[in-house]
């Protein structure tokens, strides 16, 4: 039932995998378990190394899992197959990613974006430095993980599983290693583009060190890793405001405005990890995992904001002689343009800490107890600084004449006549007069947003596992319980920036200076925007400006003050299951049947705004809200070996995933639209309130998954999978509901109250009124070419293709929506050679168009259609062989985004209406590693 509130505001490879990669047992029901009989990780049984060994280990995990999974294994200590975790995950069947700032970040699994999946660390739910639940994989140093498992079907013991899937990142286990390990790696990075900003860089590095050892007769093990990264990104970016029907251009679609920028990013991350493992006997096994990562990113953005279309209030004039193609203006001359020159700096400072302690106790030959405790903390502070220069306050200075022309890639060339490096005409000002604090005009020569997030999670878990003898296919049982408390605090502060001098509160009527010269100390050079026709612009130091030339005034608009919120979720999960492992009609069957019972107590603290009749002001008052509810989630998983090395796996389940945390906030913002004061039309209300919904329930899904897998005797496999999901309680992110604001109307001044035609207005908030379905199929082939002929030993192919179709409807709207992150078609292919220490690989991945999440106004998330993209990566390297002087040394050269594919979004299903264009360029890496 929809709920809402109104103002409530090969066998050796298998053994290797089991011994070396097993994480806490409670999280590994669907994956291989550690075994006392398993050989040690470095026992010499594996004759292939590097990428081939990674594929074999991943296939082993997939093969023995009694449910449907995909797996990714590191090639060696501290060496995943690609540049980052997200890069590697995006090559798995049915998995793809969206690039942000040139890096793979937002994972989609089976057509469902990051909001529909969960990420675990060693089987434990994690918090994130991101805005919501979706993990930003940059927060984890890739070198610290031995393998990653993606569960595509839930099991009863898999707590906090997602609807799309569950990604479990697993760290190395020191007691599973045969010998001491000391490994070092140094990697250099180069972006092919020259630095786009004078204070940017195109060079980066990554350095890691790993130490693994065992003591006390191999009963105590320790693994320690440290990592330091400095990664640059150079981005040529373009953003269009949109395309109105321009009356002065015959009513044709016309470029409303544009922001060409050059952006230089520098990501710095320092990380450390430690695992302590103690197993004095077969009866007790204790593991402590600790991870810390410090994450800093600086983004320098310089560009010009051009208001162009007169229909959108630019004040410009479209000259005769424009060119129209299919109702779309492709060439025009526009006079009277007053542009905003921008020198911006975004800075992010984030900390991520995670600790988990797992204890496994063998009570007797048939009974095992596991107790686990974990804590995860993420803190993040952003400084989003904008500074503006122009020719005069409020479009009063010299204007520009622009020649705009459409490019084949959807961007527009914008050729000005003004010299944007001329400090005789450009100064610190509010060039468009956009500054407004809610009651008065302000000289807004800049703006500072400073959001802060704190996300922490405590979890306690106990599992009791028993064996069943002489019961045929029933091999055991398992029961358990988990308690978690997650609390996310979001605090937002913002400031208007204006020229220093007279006046107060940056207001125009108080005498705040409307124009100030640019100081010499702020100028660091010039920046070309030649890729879109702008020869040069001023490159200023925004930090100098904000410290020396700009005054700051707290932004106390209601829209700014009602954003702070806290969301708390207390979740109790109990589960029970029967394990299956035996023969059915002579065929081996494994699996599980069970159920989860999940009780949730969610709450939110925040604020709402209301009208004060005594003062005429809009006030902000505290608000609380929440909900409590149960969910029962049964699941069944079966894996039947129908023929030698051929498996049919079937899974059926009910699952859920919680909505975005910002959607669960209680906050509501009250607005009055005075243009509609006399309207009784429900589509043009005077009263409006926008916010979250503290009673929002999780998405629910009924799932059926089927996979047929055949494994070749000398490595490799082929798999065909299909899936169907029936989605209910789907969150409509912005449902408009009628609401009687009579109580608010009674507090309004009589002069306003007497003009009202109705007191009924609209409340806009998330609501569980969506439903639909999603279905698809995946084909995977892992083929060592030695299966075809021994002469091709060392060569191989790994690839997959998937198709997903969805139909989701919100509320009473009969038109289906597009799911964020869903590409109908996704494909990945890798050709590799690895033998005698030589390794070479080329990898290509493709995804069809999809709905991408991008940053909108004031960094708020918004969705736009992204064009299809294909990306080619390649690498070649050499491992010096045993017996040689340089044994243990490896060198690797990697090239990323060889297709130089830009990220492009567009609107209204019209590829001509390009909104975002971001070109990242090619990146090259050289790595040297040594293993003692």
């Amino acid at each position: 039932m929809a709920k809402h509130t109104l103002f409530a505001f090969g066998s050796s490879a298998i053994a290797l995998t089991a011994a070396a990669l097993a994480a806490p047992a409670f999280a590994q029901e669907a994956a291989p378990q550690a075994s006392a009989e398993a050989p040690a990780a470095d026992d010499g049984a594996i004759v292939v190394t590097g990428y081939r060994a990674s594929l074999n280990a991943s296939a082993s995990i997939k093969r023995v899992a009694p449910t449907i999974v995909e797996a990714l294994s590191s090639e060696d200590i501290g060496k995943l197959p690609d540049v980052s975790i997200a890069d590697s995950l995006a090559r798995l069947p049915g998995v793809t990613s969206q690039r942000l700032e040139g890096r793979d970040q937002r994972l989609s699994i089976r057509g469902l974006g990051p909001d529909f999946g969960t990420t675990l660390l060693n089987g434990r739910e994690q918090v994130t430095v991101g805005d919501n639940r979706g993990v930003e994989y940059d927060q984890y140093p890739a070198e610290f993980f031995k393998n990653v498992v993606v569960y595509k079907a839930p099991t009863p013991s898999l707590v906090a599983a997602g609807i799309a899937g569950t990604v479990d990142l697993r760290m190395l286990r020191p007691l599973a290693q045969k010998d001491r390990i000391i490994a070092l790696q140094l990697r250099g990075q180069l972006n092919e583009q020259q630095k786009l900003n004078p204070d940017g860089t195109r060079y980066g590095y990554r350095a890691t060190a790993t130490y693994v050892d065992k003591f006390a007769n191999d009963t105590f093990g320790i693994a320690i890793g440290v990592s330091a990264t400095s990664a640059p990104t150079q981005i040529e970016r373009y953003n269009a405001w949109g395309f109105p029907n321009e009356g002065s251009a015959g009513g044709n679609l016309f470029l409303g405005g544009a922001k060409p920028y050059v952006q230089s990013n520098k990501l710095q991350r320092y990380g450390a990890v430690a695992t302590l493992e103690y197993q004095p006997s077969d009866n007790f096994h204790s593991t402590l995992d600790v991870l810390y990562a410090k994450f800093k990113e600086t983004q320098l953005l310089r560009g010009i904001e051009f208001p162009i279309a007169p229909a959108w209030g630019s004040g410009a004039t479209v000259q005769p002689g424009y060119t129209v193609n299919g109702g779309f203006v492709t060439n025009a001359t526009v006079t009277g343009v007053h542009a905003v020159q921008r020198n911006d700096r975004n800075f992010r400072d984030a900390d991520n800490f995670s600790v988990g302690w797992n204890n496994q106790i063998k009570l007797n030959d048939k009974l095992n107890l596991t107790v686990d405790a974990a804590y995860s903390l993420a803190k993040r502070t952003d400084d989003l600084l904008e500074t503006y220069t122009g020719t005069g306050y409020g479009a009063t200075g010299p204007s520009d004449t622009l020649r705009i022309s459409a490019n084949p890639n959807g961007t527009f060339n914008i050729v000005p006549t003004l010299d944007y490096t001329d400090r005789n005409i450009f100064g610190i000002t509010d060039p468009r007069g956009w500054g407004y604090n809610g009651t008065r005009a302000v000289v807004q020569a800049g703006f500072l947003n400073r959001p802060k997030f704190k996300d922490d999670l405590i979890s306690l878990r106990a599992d009791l596992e028993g064996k069943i003898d002489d019961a045929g296919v029933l091999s055991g049982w398992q029961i358990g319980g988990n308690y978690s408390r997650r609390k996310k605090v979001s605090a937002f502060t913002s400031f208007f920036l204006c020229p220093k001098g007279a006046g107060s509160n940056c207001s125009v009527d108080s005498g705040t200076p409307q124009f100030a010269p640019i100081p010499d100390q702020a100028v660091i050079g010039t920046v070309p925007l030649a890729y879109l026709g702008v020869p040069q612009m001023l490159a200023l130091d925004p930090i100098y400006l904000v410290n020396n030339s700009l005054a700051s005034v707290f932004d106390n608009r209601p829209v700014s003050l009602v954003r702070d919120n806290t969301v708390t979720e207390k979740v109790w999960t109990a589960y029970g299951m029967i394990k299956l492992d035996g023969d059915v009609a002579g065929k081996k069957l494994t699996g599980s049947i069970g159920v989860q019972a999940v009780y949730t107590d969610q709450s939110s603290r925040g604020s709402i705004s209301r009208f004060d009749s005594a003062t005429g002001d809009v006030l902000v008052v505290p608000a609380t809200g929440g909900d409590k509810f149960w969910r029962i989630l049964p699941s069944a998983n079966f894996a039947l070996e129908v023929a030698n090395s051929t498996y049919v796996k079937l899974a059926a389940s009910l699952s859920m995933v919680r909505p975005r945390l910002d959607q669960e906030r209680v906050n509501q913002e009250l607005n009055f639209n005075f243009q509609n004061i006399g309207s009784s039309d429900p589509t043009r209300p005077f009263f409006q309130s926008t916010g979250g919904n503290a009673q929002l329930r999780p998405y629910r899904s009924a799932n059926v998954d089927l996979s047929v897998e055949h494994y070749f005797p000398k490595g490799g496999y082929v798999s065909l999978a299909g899936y169907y999901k029936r989605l209910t309680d789907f969150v409509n992110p912005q449902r408009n509901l009628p609401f009687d604001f009579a109580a608010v109307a009674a507090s309004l001044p009589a002069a306003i109250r007497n003009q009202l035609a109705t007191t009924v207005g609209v409340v806009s908030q998330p609501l569980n009124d969506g439903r639909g379905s999603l279905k698809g199929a995946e084909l995977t082939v892992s083929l060592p070419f030695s299966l075809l002929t021994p002469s091709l030993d060392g060569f191989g192919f790994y690839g997959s293709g998937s198709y997903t179709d969805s139909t989701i409807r919100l509320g009473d709207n009969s038109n289906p929506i597009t799911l964020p992150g869903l590409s109908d078609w996704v494909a990945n292919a890798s050709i590799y050679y690895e033998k005698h220490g030589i390794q070479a690989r080329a990898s290509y991945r493709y995804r069809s168009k999809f709905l991408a999440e991008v940053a909108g106004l004031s960094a708020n998330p918004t969705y736009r259609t992204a064009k299809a993209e294909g990306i080619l990566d390649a690498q070649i390297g050499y491992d010096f062989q045993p017996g040689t002087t340089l044994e243990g040394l490896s060198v690797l050269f990697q090239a990323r985004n060889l297709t130089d594919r830009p990220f492009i979004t567009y609107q209204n299903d019209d590829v001509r209406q390009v909104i975002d264009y971001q070109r990242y360029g090619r990146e090259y890496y050289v790595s040297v590693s040594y293993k003692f």
Side-chain angles (χ1 to χ4, degrees), residues 159-188:
V159 174
I163 286 176
T166 305
V167 178
D168 188 10
L169 309 172
R170 301 182 186 171
M171 291 157 56
L172 176 145
R173 293 292 171 243
L175 289 183
Q177 312 306 309
K178 182 179 181 181
D179 300 313
R180 174 188 299 150
I181 298 171
I182 302 175
L184 304 174
Q185 184 185 75
L186 180 63
R187 187 180 76 185

Side-chain angles (χ1 to χ4, degrees), residues 285-513:
H285 187 184
S286 182
T287 306
L288 177 69
D289 297 308
V290 182
L291 181 146
Y292 173 76
K294 179 70 171 180
F295 183 103
K296 292 185 177 183
E297 184 172 23
T298 303
Q299 301 176 350
L300 302 170
L301 301 94
R302 293 185 172 93
I304 305 174
E305 198 161 359
F306 293 103
I308 296 175
W312 279 0
S314 70
T317 303
V318 179
Q319 297 300 310
Y322 53 84
T323 303
V324 179
N325 187 354
F328 188 84
V329 176
T330 57
N331 286 276
T333 299
V334 184
T335 58
V337 175
H338 290 85
V340 181
Q341 194 165 198
R342 299 271 295 266
N343 282 264
D344 300 348
R345 179 184 183 269
N346 299 332
F347 178 73
R348 171 174 292 186
D349 187 351
D351 295 271
N352 185 53
F353 174 75
S354 178
V355 59
W357 186 25
N358 182 265
N359 295 277
Q360 301 174 30
I361 305 167
K362 185 178 180 180
L363 301 177
N364 54 47
D365 289 341
K366 295 183 178 180
L367 208 58
N368 295 284
L369 173 67
T370 301
V371 180
D372 191 90
Y375 176 69
S376 179
L377 170 68
K379 294 191 294 184
R380 186 187 110 204
T381 300
D382 291 350
D383 278 313
L384 311 177
L385 172 62
E386 303 174 0
T387 65
Y388 316 142
T389 54
T391 60
Y393 172 77
T396 57
S399 64
D400 200 357
T401 296
L402 305 179
R403 179 66 186 177
I404 63 172
S405 57
N407 295 314
N409 60 16
T411 64
F412 272 76
N413 260 25
I414 303 172
V415 181
T417 55
L418 282 182
D419 179 0
Y420 282 82
T421 67
D422 189 351
R423 291 163 58 197
N424 292 318
I425 59 173
F426 282 92
I428 302 169
T429 185
D430 182 352
R432 300 291 306 179
W434 285 334
Y436 186 70
N437 66 8
T439 58
R440 305 159 72 187
V442 297
V443 183
Q444 186 176 331
F447 198 75
L448 175 62
N449 266 318
R450 187 171 286 159
K452 294 183 179 181
F453 303 95
K454 180 183 178 183
D455 192 359
D456 72 289
L457 186 149
I458 299 171
S459 66
L460 298 171
R461 177 169 177 158
D463 303 82
L464 190 63
E465 180 182 10
K467 295 180 181 179
I468 301 176
D469 294 332
D470 304 321
V473 74
L474 305 181
S475 64
W477 55 269
Q478 187 172 330
I479 60 174
N482 185 85
Y483 168 76
S484 67
R485 193 277 296 155
R486 182 172 189 171
K487 182 179 180 181
K488 186 148 192 171
V489 180
S490 304
F492 300 84
T493 308
S494 52
F495 300 87
F496 291 104
L497 304 177
C498 60
K500 285 185 174 180
S504 61
N505 297 320
C506 289
S507 62
V508 174
D509 58 11
S510 70
T512 298

Side-chain angles (χ1 to χ4, degrees), residues 668-820:
Q668 286 280 331
E669 178 203 346
L670 177 64
N671 291 299
F672 304 136
N673 189 336
F674 284 92
Q675 293 182 344
N676 300 337
I677 192 169
S679 171
S680 59
D681 183 351
T683 65
R684 299 179 59 246
F686 173 74
F687 297 100
Q688 297 173 330
S689 185
T690 303
N693 182 353
Q695 293 187 341
L696 201 62
R697 298 289 181 89
Y699 298 81
R700 291 196 283 185
S701 179
N703 318 291
V704 177
D705 298 86
L706 178 66
S707 178
V708 179
E709 304 165 8
H710 177 73
Y711 295 85
F712 304 124
K714 295 183 179 181
Y717 68 94
V718 60
S719 170
L720 179 63
Y723 52 92
Y724 176 82
K725 299 179 184 293
R726 183 68 179 175
L727 301 169
T728 55
D729 280 356
F730 197 94
V731 175
N732 182 345
Q734 194 171 21
R735 177 65 189 274
N736 293 327
L737 300 167
F739 181 79
D740 192 347
F741 289 83
V744 177
S747 67
L748 295 176
I752 297 177
R753 190 169 60 246
N754 294 337
Q755 299 180 62
L756 295 174
T758 179
T759 59
V760 176
V762 169
V763 169
S764 179
Q765 62 180 177
L767 193 68
N768 294 108
D769 68 354
R771 71 280 178 203
S773 63
L774 182 143
K775 55 184 178 292
E778 301 164 351
L779 174 65
T780 307
V781 176
S782 179
L783 181 65
F785 289 171
S786 59
L787 295 175
L788 306 177
T789 172
S791 62
L792 292 178
D793 183 43
F795 289 95
F797 169 84
Y798 177 83
S800 66
S802 63
Y803 174 77
T804 306
D805 179 61
S806 73
T807 303
I808 307 293
R809 292 181 172 86
L810 301 179
D812 52 7
N813 191 340
S814 61
N815 297 319
I817 67 166
T818 300
L819 276 175

Side-chain angles (χ1 to χ4, degrees), residues 28-296:
Q28 305 308 319
E29 156 60 21
Q33 295 299 304
S35 168
E37 293 76 29
D42 296 336
D43 66 355
I46 303 299
V47 296
V48 294
T49 59
Y51 185 63
R52 294 169 68 188
S54 170
L55 290 177
N56 284 351
S58 300
S60 297
I61 295 174
K62 181 179 178 70
R63 176 176 181 167
V64 303
T67 188
I68 300 170
V69 304
E70 306 294 345
L72 165 69
S73 298
S74 65
E75 300 178 23
D76 203 344
I77 301 299
K79 186 182 177 186
L80 282 171
D82 291 280
V83 171
S84 70
I85 297 175
D87 283 346
S88 296
L89 287 172
R91 303 196 195 285
L92 294 176
V95 182
T96 189
S97 66
Q98 177 188 331
R99 292 179 294 167
L100 290 176
E101 309 299 342
R103 304 187 299 272
D104 288 304
Q105 281 283 14
R106 300 186 183 277
L107 284 186
S108 294
I109 303 174
R110 289 184 163 177
L112 293 167
D115 290 339
F116 298 90
T118 56
T119 297
L120 313 177
L121 176 61
N122 297 318
R124 307 175 181 103
E125 186 179 4
Q126 296 298 293
V127 296
T128 174
V129 298
D131 295 346
N132 280 283
R133 299 183 195 274
V135 165
E136 295 186 0
Y137 287 94
D138 272 343
Q139 74 186 59
Y140 297 117
E143 300 82 4
F144 296 164
F145 301 105
K146 185 62 179 174
N147 76 340
V148 184
V149 175
V150 179
Y151 295 86
K152 292 184 173 177
T155 66
S157 63
L158 190 63
V159 174
I163 286 176
T166 305
V167 178
D168 188 10
L169 309 172
R170 301 182 186 171
M171 291 157 56
L172 176 145
R173 293 292 171 243
L175 289 183
Q177 312 306 309
K178 182 179 181 181
D179 300 313
R180 174 188 299 150
I181 298 171
I182 302 175
L184 304 174
Q185 184 185 75
L186 180 63
R187 187 180 76 185
Q189 176 182 350
L190 170 69
N191 189 288
E192 72 164 351
Q193 300 190 88
Q194 295 293 332
K195 63 178 184 180
L196 299 177
N197 283 283
D199 43 354
T201 182
R202 59 190 296 223
Y203 302 103
Y205 69 88
R206 176 179 288 181
T208 63
T210 305
Y211 171 71
V212 183
D213 207 348
K214 295 186 290 186
F215 307 90
N217 296 320
D218 293 345
T219 62
F220 178 72
I222 183 170
I224 299 174
V226 292
S227 172
T229 299
S230 178
T233 308
Q234 303 289 329
I235 307 174
E236 294 176 346
R237 57 186 297 168
Y238 161 93
N239 175 260
W241 293 4
F243 298 87
N245 295 103
E246 178 54 60
S248 62
N252 295 292
L253 293 173
F254 199 90
L255 178 64
K259 294 186 289 184
Y261 276 77
V262 289
Q263 179 175 341
S264 298
N265 296 352
K266 184 179 181 181
L267 166 65
Q268 294 176 292
R269 184 186 59 223
Y270 307 95
V273 65
T275 295
L276 305 179
E277 191 175 12
Y278 179 57
Q279 188 173 10
S281 68
D282 292 338
N283 297 326
F284 181 70
H285 187 184
S286 182
T287 306
L288 177 69
D289 297 308
V290 182
L291 181 146
Y292 173 76
K294 179 70 171 180
F295 183 103
K296 292 185 177 183

